[in-house]
Amino acid sequence: MITLLFSGRSASIMKAVQKANEILASDTFYEKIALLPQMSNTSLTSPEIARILKTTNRKITIHTYWNPFGKTTKKMNAYQFEVNTNKISCVTAYAVNTLINETIQVIALLGDQINFSNSDHYHEEEENAFPWRIGEIAEIISRKTRQFA
């Protein structure tokens, strides 16, 4: 199972990481991925992507940094990435989308099972390119399962 680790002090990121971990542990998430149409930036089928992600056993550490001019995230290596606390959304569902999106990209850095290339698709095709689409699924699931206090 893919697990996100965060030991920082940002309450909104802690909440998003917790929700992302719940989604990554749910069968529903992988079932929804398997139902996606063929992605435009990979030769893998959606059921293959879902199976690979579901059986991947990796802990990914999330660090934070603050930079008003930096990107929302920075990929460090296949086991960690950084989140810009100045740029990430404070809306949990949007933050979950970003975290899952970056998680998929970090996993792909190893290139052992999942491969994709940002240059193999046009910007207009991002809606049908993973990891964008998978992040979108996580956002939708996050919105549907949010609990009211």
Side-chain angles (χ1 to χ4, degrees):
M1 178 170 76
I2 301 166
T3 305
L4 302 180
L5 306 172
F6 178 68
S7 60
R9 296 184 300 214
S10 170
S12 61
I13 293 176
M14 277 191 262
K15 184 177 178 181
V17 167
Q18 178 183 4
K19 180 54 81 177
N21 280 329
E22 289 172 15
I23 291 168
L24 288 166
S26 82
D27 288 335
T28 302
F29 178 59
Y30 301 102
E31 290 166 6
K32 299 236 182 256
I33 292 170
L35 295 173
L36 289 171
Q38 178 64 40
M39 302 290 179
S40 63
N41 63 338
T42 183
S43 60
L44 294 171
T45 66
S46 295
E48 288 173 321
I49 293 168
R51 180 189 51 76
I52 291 167
L53 291 175
K54 187 174 183 176
T55 59
T56 296
N57 188 17
R58 175 108 27 98
K59 293 186 184 329
I60 298 171
T61 304
I62 299 170
H63 300 284
T64 58
Y65 73 102
W66 186 88
N67 183 344
F69 306 108
K71 293 183 177 184
T72 305
T73 59
K74 290 193 291 189
K75 283 171 268 324
M76 304 302 287
N77 58 46
Y79 296 95
Q80 64 182 331
F81 63 91
E82 292 186 343
V83 174
N84 185 346
T85 55
N86 188 61
K87 298 282 183 154
I88 193 162
S89 177
C90 60
V91 176
T92 301
Y94 294 151
V96 166
N97 181 332
T98 300
L99 294 177
I100 298 291
N101 179 331
E102 290 301 316
T103 297
I104 304 305
Q105 292 187 49
V106 164
I107 288 171
L109 285 175
L110 285 180
D112 52 354
Q113 290 186 315
I114 292 182
N115 276 315
F116 66 93
S117 171
N118 289 336
S119 61
D120 287 349
H121 72 281
Y122 297 105
H123 180 69
E124 297 82 27
E125 292 180 341
E126 281 186 1
E127 291 180 8
N128 195 35
F130 94 98
W132 294 276
R133 192 72 182 265
I134 294 170
E136 205 171 68
I137 289 172
E139 178 183 331
I140 291 166
I141 291 172
S142 178
R143 288 180 183 282
K144 287 183 176 181
T145 60
R146 100 180 132 185
Q147 298 174 353
F148 297 98

